[in-house]
Amino acid sequence: MIQPFWLYISYTFPMALASPAPLMRVNGERLMQRLMDLATISPIPGGGSSRLALTDEDAAGRDLVVGWMKELGLEVTIDVVGNVVGTWNVGHGSPVMTGSHIDTVRTGGKYDGNLGVLAGLEVIQSMQENNHQPSRPIAVAFFTNEEGARFAPDMFGSLVYVGGLSVEEALDTVTIDGARVADELERVGYNGSTPCPGFAPSSFIELHIEQGPVLEQVGVQIGAVTGVQGISWQEVTIEGQSNHAGTTPMSMRHDPAFVAASLAVFLRQLSQRFSGHQVCTVGKIDLFPNLINVVPAKAVVTLDVRNTDEQLLAQAESEIADYIKKIELSEGVTITTRPLARFEPVEFDEDVISLVESIAMEHGHTVQRMPSGAGHDAQMLARVCPSAMIFVPSVLGISHNPAEHTSTQDITNGTNILLQAMLSLAEKKDN
Ligand code: GLV
Ligand code: MN
Ligand code: MN
């Protein structure tokens, strides 16, 4: 079992290792410029961007990044669910892949996902400028709808890429605004022809901001990510009796808003009972008709429940199901649930994790092993090849918020580690 991420309080001190040749370095300023350029597409107040998957805004971001891929001479493929892979065709064998996503939540920052994709381009550009020809091709991918904010599940594109969701089911998925994914892919011009599942890379490594407070709080520069906690998403629809807010006695109400609020309270109490191993979020409550003086007819609520321990996650799900049955009876409402996403905790590859750790130490950085609280495309790629991730600190642990920030120095550190890790992985022979 992987430990909850906030229990990781020990870290490794840097060791000075003798280095025979000057290390190849990335250009952090150029990477920052690309991050800022991408953030100008659909900017929002506070400095972030809003590019929900397969919207016009996402398409504009895609076009910009594909243009950069082409400038670097990469062969660009677009698959049937819109995943984009840019490959630098050097060397032999299956590519070492990096990447992430460029879709955002509605209140996205500049770094979540974007960093992993643009750092991949920076790694390739640095190798090219140093006339370094790796022994394997190097690929950079961005996967469709990692966020899951416009349609479920999250990590949608990478899940289809590894064969975890059929193309038919994926294309038939309906977005929160009622569109079909197949139609949206066509509308934005990213209904590619490359089949899914896609090729299995020789290894996958993703650079990402931590999106949490741990690295900053313990004063560590690099996270060597050991895995990703399990996640359970469901939508709960509560139907009651709509009525007049002034005339309906409290004892006669069948109020979906009250049940929605009770569910949020139950989830908070459940996470407290599970003594800090559990995170639960009610991120969305829609009331119908949503008027001040009307007891609502209906509430639609989303539940996001995560744990690093699969058994505890299953127990949380079962307690939530029992509570739903109980409150349905006591409040005289009708409740239906719809599963949206369910992924077990994932453990990354020990060799790739220790590669990240040793490179970070070689660069003189403090490094700590830690699991990820957020979902990532690397957890899907881990199904088909040795995979791991590199985390860099998030200022105040803030993410999914336009205030999301990571310093240029931390971004440069993380990208240099990505570069060295990919150089090393590209020299690995097939087993
Ligand atoms: C993806 O950003 C997630 O919700 O973990
Ligand atoms: Mn992300
Ligand atoms: Mn995200």
Side-chain angles (χ1 to χ4, degrees):
M1 180 199 52
I2 47 180
Q3 294 291 317
F5 51 95
W6 48 86
L7 291 187
Y8 280 70
I9 50 168
S10 65
Y11 63 89
T12 319
F13 286 96
M15 288 189 314
L17 297 185
S19 186
L23 288 176
M24 199 185 298
R25 295 285 181 186
V26 299
N27 182 336
E29 295 300 327
R30 179 170 59 199
L31 169 55
M32 287 307 288
Q33 190 56 56
R34 285 200 180 114
L35 280 162
M36 297 310 126
D37 290 348
L38 183 51
T40 63
I41 296 180
S42 194
I44 54 175
S49 311
S50 181
R51 295 192 306 271
L52 288 178
L54 304 184
T55 55
D56 291 348
E57 295 77 24
D58 181 33
R62 286 166 170 264
D63 292 348
L64 183 64
V65 176
V66 166
W68 286 330
M69 286 176 163
K70 290 189 173 155
E71 277 168 29
L72 294 177
L74 308 189
E75 180 193 325
V76 177
T77 60
I78 304 172
D79 72 26
V80 288
V81 295
N83 295 317
V84 173
V85 181
T87 306
W88 184 27
N89 273 319
V90 285
H92 302 283
S94 63
V96 175
M97 187 187 270
T98 189
S100 194
H101 60 99
I102 60 167
D103 69 308
T104 72
V105 294
R106 206 189 296 285
T107 54
K110 295 188 189 76
Y111 305 99
D112 176 2
N114 305 318
L115 172 61
V117 178
L118 302 185
L121 297 186
E122 180 54 40
V123 161
I124 291 178
Q125 195 161 0
S126 302
M127 289 185 193
Q128 291 175 342
E129 284 173 350
N130 282 273
N131 298 316
H132 179 86
Q133 290 261 330
S135 299
R136 288 180 180 278
I138 304 287
V140 183
F142 60 86
F143 296 100
T144 299
N145 186 46
E146 186 272 355
E147 294 291 8
R150 187 172 179 222
F151 45 98
D154 49 351
M155 286 78 71
F156 178 97
S158 47
L159 182 64
V160 180
Y161 185 93
V162 301
L165 175 67
S166 75
V167 172
E168 295 68 35
E169 211 180 318
L171 294 177
D172 248 350
T173 302
V174 176
T175 69
I176 54 172
D177 41 295
R180 243 180 99 238
V181 165
D183 299 334
E184 288 299 90
L185 281 164
E186 193 178 337
R187 192 182 66 77
V188 298
Y190 278 85
N191 52 337
S193 55
T194 301
C196 274
F199 69 84
S202 57
S203 50
F204 184 84
I205 182 160
E206 177 175 355
L207 172 64
H208 208 284
I209 54 166
E210 181 202 334
Q211 306 184 272
V214 175
L215 290 174
E216 186 178 65
Q217 277 179 7
V218 295
V220 170
Q221 294 162 302
I222 297 294
V225 186
T226 52
V228 180
Q229 67 180 341
I231 183 167
S232 164
W233 277 3
Q234 59 179 310
E235 183 186 77
V236 181
T237 301
I238 306 147
E239 287 169 289
Q241 176 62 60
S242 189
N243 212 333
H244 194 290
T247 60
T248 315
M250 295 310 285
S251 61
M252 289 179 62
R253 294 190 183 208
H254 306 284
D255 180 353
F258 173 75
V259 174
S262 305
L263 207 43
V265 172
F266 179 79
L267 258 59
R268 169 60 69 92
Q269 287 167 345
L270 179 143
S271 19
Q272 285 159 345
R273 273 192 291 112
F274 280 45
S275 53
H277 291 241
Q278 181 70 54
V279 284
C280 296
T281 307
V282 172
K284 191 165 178 281
I285 300 183
D286 292 319
L287 298 177
F288 302 89
N290 205 25
L291 294 168
I292 188 165
N293 55 356
V294 181
V295 177
K298 185 166 90 165
V300 183
V301 180
T302 58
L303 312 187
D304 175 318
V305 179
R306 308 189 195 200
N307 201 310
T308 50
D309 182 322
E310 171 57 25
Q311 273 183 352
L312 286 173
L313 183 57
Q315 189 183 330
E317 292 177 308
S318 132
E319 290 193 22
I320 292 166
D322 289 347
Y323 180 75
I324 286 176
K325 275 194 212 123
K326 207 172 97 193
I327 199 161
E328 185 177 36
L329 263 183
S330 63
E331 291 301 318
V333 293
T334 305
I335 305 184
T336 48
T337 59
R338 185 165 73 96
L340 296 177
R342 180 62 163 91
F343 301 118
E344 288 190 10
V346 170
E347 295 197 32
F348 285 142
D349 182 82
E350 178 52 38
D351 288 348
V352 188
I353 301 166
S354 42
L355 178 67
V356 169
E357 213 174 23
S358 60
I359 293 169
M361 286 191 277
E362 199 176 326
H363 286 213
H365 301 314
T366 45
V367 54
Q368 167 172 311
R369 286 185 173 224
M370 62 190 298
S372 170
H376 296 291
D377 294 308
Q379 79 190 77
M380 296 308 164
L381 272 292
R383 296 186 186 189
V384 296
C385 67
S387 302
M389 296 183 71
I390 305 163
F391 273 175
V392 285
S394 290
V395 171
L396 300 175
I398 289 177
S399 186
H400 284 183
N401 180 322
E404 178 181 277
H405 185 68
T406 296
S407 72
T408 303
Q409 189 57 61
D410 284 332
I411 282 177
T412 308
N413 292 344
T415 311
N416 274 317
I417 292 168
L418 179 69
L419 167 66
Q420 295 301 326
M422 293 188 80
L423 285 168
S424 167
L425 292 168
E427 299 314 311
K428 261 186 93 174
K429 303 269 174 289
D430 287 326
N431 288 328

